[in-house]
Short mmCIF file of all heavy atoms in Angstrom, two decimals:
data_model
loop_
_atom_site.label_atom_id
_atom_site.label_comp_id
_atom_site.label_asym_id
_atom_site.label_seq_id
_atom_site.Cartn_x
_atom_site.Cartn_y
_atom_site.Cartn_z
N VAL A 1452 109.78 118.55 164.95
CA VAL A 1452 111.25 118.49 164.97
C VAL A 1452 111.73 117.33 165.83
O VAL A 1452 112.60 116.55 165.41
CB VAL A 1452 111.83 119.82 165.50
CG1 VAL A 1452 113.33 119.70 165.73
CG2 VAL A 1452 111.53 120.95 164.53
N PHE A 1453 111.16 117.19 167.04
CA PHE A 1453 111.57 116.10 167.93
C PHE A 1453 111.35 114.75 167.26
O PHE A 1453 112.13 113.81 167.44
CB PHE A 1453 110.79 116.15 169.24
CG PHE A 1453 111.24 117.23 170.19
CD1 PHE A 1453 112.16 118.19 169.81
CD2 PHE A 1453 110.73 117.29 171.48
CE1 PHE A 1453 112.58 119.18 170.68
CE2 PHE A 1453 111.15 118.28 172.36
CZ PHE A 1453 112.06 119.22 171.96
N GLY A 1454 110.28 114.63 166.48
CA GLY A 1454 109.95 113.36 165.85
C GLY A 1454 110.71 113.09 164.57
O GLY A 1454 110.64 111.97 164.03
N SER A 1455 111.44 114.08 164.08
CA SER A 1455 112.12 113.92 162.79
C SER A 1455 113.49 113.27 162.91
O SER A 1455 114.08 112.92 161.89
CB SER A 1455 112.27 115.29 162.12
OG SER A 1455 113.17 116.12 162.84
N TYR A 1456 113.97 113.09 164.14
CA TYR A 1456 115.30 112.51 164.34
C TYR A 1456 115.20 111.18 165.08
O TYR A 1456 114.49 111.06 166.08
CB TYR A 1456 116.19 113.46 165.14
CG TYR A 1456 116.48 114.78 164.46
CD1 TYR A 1456 115.94 115.97 164.96
CD2 TYR A 1456 117.28 114.84 163.33
CE1 TYR A 1456 116.20 117.18 164.36
CE2 TYR A 1456 117.54 116.06 162.71
CZ TYR A 1456 116.99 117.23 163.23
OH TYR A 1456 117.25 118.42 162.62
N LYS A 1457 115.95 110.20 164.61
CA LYS A 1457 116.05 108.94 165.34
C LYS A 1457 116.98 109.12 166.53
O LYS A 1457 116.70 108.64 167.63
CB LYS A 1457 116.59 107.85 164.40
CG LYS A 1457 116.69 106.49 165.07
CD LYS A 1457 117.19 105.44 164.09
CE LYS A 1457 117.28 104.07 164.76
NZ LYS A 1457 117.76 103.02 163.80
N ASN A 1458 118.11 109.80 166.31
CA ASN A 1458 119.04 110.10 167.38
C ASN A 1458 119.23 111.61 167.47
O ASN A 1458 119.49 112.26 166.45
CB ASN A 1458 120.40 109.43 167.13
CG ASN A 1458 120.30 107.92 167.11
OD1 ASN A 1458 119.88 107.32 168.09
ND2 ASN A 1458 120.67 107.29 166.00
N MET A 1459 119.07 112.13 168.66
CA MET A 1459 119.18 113.58 168.86
C MET A 1459 120.03 113.85 170.09
O MET A 1459 119.74 113.33 171.18
CB MET A 1459 117.79 114.20 169.03
CG MET A 1459 117.75 115.71 168.93
SD MET A 1459 116.05 116.35 169.05
CE MET A 1459 115.73 116.15 170.81
N GLU A 1460 121.08 114.62 169.93
CA GLU A 1460 121.97 114.94 171.04
C GLU A 1460 121.97 116.45 171.28
O GLU A 1460 122.14 117.23 170.34
CB GLU A 1460 123.39 114.47 170.74
CG GLU A 1460 123.51 112.96 170.55
CD GLU A 1460 124.91 112.54 170.16
OE1 GLU A 1460 125.78 113.44 170.00
OE2 GLU A 1460 125.15 111.33 170.00
N VAL A 1461 121.77 116.83 172.53
CA VAL A 1461 121.77 118.24 172.93
C VAL A 1461 122.75 118.40 174.09
O VAL A 1461 122.62 117.70 175.10
CB VAL A 1461 120.38 118.71 173.37
CG1 VAL A 1461 120.43 120.18 173.77
CG2 VAL A 1461 119.36 118.50 172.25
N ALA A 1462 123.70 119.28 173.93
CA ALA A 1462 124.67 119.53 175.01
C ALA A 1462 124.86 121.03 175.17
O ALA A 1462 124.90 121.78 174.19
CB ALA A 1462 126.00 118.87 174.71
N MET A 1463 124.93 121.48 176.41
CA MET A 1463 125.17 122.88 176.72
C MET A 1463 126.37 122.99 177.65
O MET A 1463 126.55 122.15 178.54
CB MET A 1463 123.95 123.50 177.41
CG MET A 1463 122.65 123.38 176.65
SD MET A 1463 122.54 124.50 175.25
CE MET A 1463 120.93 124.00 174.58
N ASN A 1464 127.18 124.00 177.44
CA ASN A 1464 128.30 124.23 178.35
C ASN A 1464 128.53 125.71 178.55
O ASN A 1464 127.93 126.54 177.86
CB ASN A 1464 129.57 123.53 177.86
CG ASN A 1464 129.99 123.99 176.47
OD1 ASN A 1464 130.19 125.19 176.24
ND2 ASN A 1464 130.12 123.06 175.54
N ASN A 1465 129.40 126.03 179.49
CA ASN A 1465 129.72 127.43 179.83
C ASN A 1465 128.47 128.23 180.17
O ASN A 1465 128.30 129.38 179.74
CB ASN A 1465 130.49 128.10 178.69
CG ASN A 1465 131.88 127.53 178.51
OD1 ASN A 1465 132.55 127.22 179.49
ND2 ASN A 1465 132.30 127.36 177.27
N ILE A 1466 127.57 127.64 180.94
CA ILE A 1466 126.31 128.30 181.29
C ILE A 1466 126.57 129.43 182.29
O ILE A 1466 127.25 129.24 183.30
CB ILE A 1466 125.32 127.30 181.89
CG1 ILE A 1466 125.04 126.16 180.91
CG2 ILE A 1466 124.02 127.99 182.28
CD1 ILE A 1466 124.24 125.02 181.49
N ARG A 1467 126.02 130.60 181.99
CA ARG A 1467 126.08 131.74 182.90
C ARG A 1467 124.67 132.31 183.07
O ARG A 1467 123.92 132.39 182.10
CB ARG A 1467 126.99 132.84 182.36
CG ARG A 1467 128.44 132.42 182.11
CD ARG A 1467 129.14 132.06 183.40
NE ARG A 1467 130.58 131.94 183.27
CZ ARG A 1467 131.22 130.86 182.85
NH1 ARG A 1467 130.54 129.79 182.47
NH2 ARG A 1467 132.55 130.82 182.78
N VAL A 1468 124.33 132.68 184.29
CA VAL A 1468 123.01 133.23 184.59
C VAL A 1468 123.16 134.60 185.22
O VAL A 1468 123.93 134.78 186.18
CB VAL A 1468 122.21 132.31 185.53
CG1 VAL A 1468 120.92 132.98 185.98
CG2 VAL A 1468 121.90 130.98 184.83
N PHE A 1469 122.43 135.58 184.69
CA PHE A 1469 122.39 136.94 185.23
C PHE A 1469 120.94 137.27 185.57
O PHE A 1469 120.04 137.04 184.76
CB PHE A 1469 122.92 137.95 184.21
CG PHE A 1469 124.33 137.71 183.79
CD1 PHE A 1469 124.62 136.84 182.74
CD2 PHE A 1469 125.38 138.36 184.44
CE1 PHE A 1469 125.95 136.62 182.35
CE2 PHE A 1469 126.70 138.13 184.07
CZ PHE A 1469 126.97 137.26 183.02
N THR A 1470 120.70 137.80 186.77
CA THR A 1470 119.34 138.13 187.16
C THR A 1470 119.21 139.60 187.53
O THR A 1470 120.15 140.23 188.03
CB THR A 1470 118.86 137.27 188.35
OG1 THR A 1470 119.57 137.65 189.54
CG2 THR A 1470 119.07 135.79 188.07
N HIS A 1471 118.02 140.14 187.28
CA HIS A 1471 117.65 141.52 187.58
C HIS A 1471 116.44 141.45 188.49
O HIS A 1471 116.01 140.37 188.90
CB HIS A 1471 117.36 142.25 186.26
CG HIS A 1471 117.63 143.71 186.30
ND1 HIS A 1471 116.69 144.61 186.77
CD2 HIS A 1471 118.70 144.45 185.94
CE1 HIS A 1471 117.18 145.85 186.67
NE2 HIS A 1471 118.41 145.77 186.18
N ASP A 1472 115.84 142.59 188.79
CA ASP A 1472 114.67 142.56 189.66
C ASP A 1472 113.41 142.09 188.92
O ASP A 1472 112.44 141.69 189.55
CB ASP A 1472 114.42 143.93 190.30
CG ASP A 1472 114.16 145.01 189.27
OD1 ASP A 1472 114.66 144.89 188.14
OD2 ASP A 1472 113.45 145.99 189.60
N ARG A 1473 113.43 142.11 187.56
CA ARG A 1473 112.23 141.74 186.81
C ARG A 1473 112.44 140.55 185.87
O ARG A 1473 111.49 139.90 185.49
CB ARG A 1473 111.74 142.93 185.97
CG ARG A 1473 111.41 144.16 186.78
CD ARG A 1473 110.85 145.26 185.88
NE ARG A 1473 111.75 145.59 184.78
CZ ARG A 1473 112.78 146.44 184.89
NH1 ARG A 1473 113.04 147.01 186.05
NH2 ARG A 1473 113.55 146.71 183.85
N TYR A 1474 113.66 140.30 185.48
CA TYR A 1474 113.92 139.21 184.55
C TYR A 1474 115.35 138.72 184.67
O TYR A 1474 116.16 139.29 185.41
CB TYR A 1474 113.58 139.63 183.12
CG TYR A 1474 114.50 140.63 182.47
CD1 TYR A 1474 115.46 140.22 181.54
CD2 TYR A 1474 114.40 141.99 182.73
CE1 TYR A 1474 116.29 141.14 180.91
CE2 TYR A 1474 115.21 142.92 182.11
CZ TYR A 1474 116.16 142.48 181.20
OH TYR A 1474 116.98 143.40 180.58
N ALA A 1475 115.64 137.65 183.93
CA ALA A 1475 116.97 137.04 183.98
C ALA A 1475 117.38 136.61 182.58
O ALA A 1475 116.54 136.41 181.70
CB ALA A 1475 116.97 135.84 184.92
#
Side-chain angles (χ1 to χ4, degrees):
V1452 171
F1453 284 9
S1455 68
Y1456 297 111
K1457 181 178 180 180
N1458 297 301
M1459 193 176 75
E1460 298 176 358
V1461 180
M1463 305 285 177
N1464 58 56
N1465 292 321
I1466 301 171
R1467 301 294 193 277
V1468 172
F1469 300 86
T1470 69
H1471 208 275
D1472 61 332
R1473 301 183 305 276
Y1474 71 102

